[in-house]
Amino acid sequence: MQNALHVPAYTVLTILLLASVGSSWRRHAGLVAGLACVCILCGIVLELLQAHIPGRFASATDMFLNAAGVLIGLIAWRYVQAKLALNRPAPASDH
């Protein structure tokens, strides 16, 4: 059961980081990719650090689940942003 929490935790982490960027994510695809990499690296580092705690161990499965959560967060963010763009009124023209 505990493993199931990795995906939603990293999904939320990714969405919150992307939300902190605001609308500039469209102009800075590299920033979005960088934030996703930071989230994935965070998951890897935290798993590796667990190996140094008595009674805990690093798990490749958990690392994979963390990365899957990041991917789902990216997809969810993109989906929501696309839906929001469709619902925005067209800019008024000055004819």
Side-chain angles (χ1 to χ4, degrees):
M1 176 62 182
Q2 185 180 13
N3 284 352
L5 298 177
H6 286 263
V7 173
Y10 277 82
T11 298
V12 170
L13 173 67
T14 303
I15 289 171
L16 290 174
L17 277 174
L18 291 174
S20 73
V21 174
S23 62
S24 65
W25 71 272
R26 287 183 186 268
R27 294 183 303 274
H28 304 290
L31 178 61
V32 172
L35 288 174
C37 288
V38 166
C39 290
I40 291 171
L41 285 174
C42 179
I44 291 169
V45 169
L46 289 174
E47 282 300 317
L48 294 175
L49 288 173
Q50 276 188 141
H52 301 288
I53 299 172
R56 303 294 304 260
F57 58 91
S59 166
T61 300
D62 288 353
M63 290 180 204
F64 172 76
L65 291 171
N66 296 343
V70 172
L71 179 61
I72 291 168
L74 285 169
I75 292 168
W77 177 258
R78 179 64 184 111
Y79 177 80
V80 168
Q81 292 301 311
K83 288 293 184 184
L84 290 174
L86 289 175
N87 292 331
R88 286 190 191 116
S93 61
D94 295 330
H95 283 87

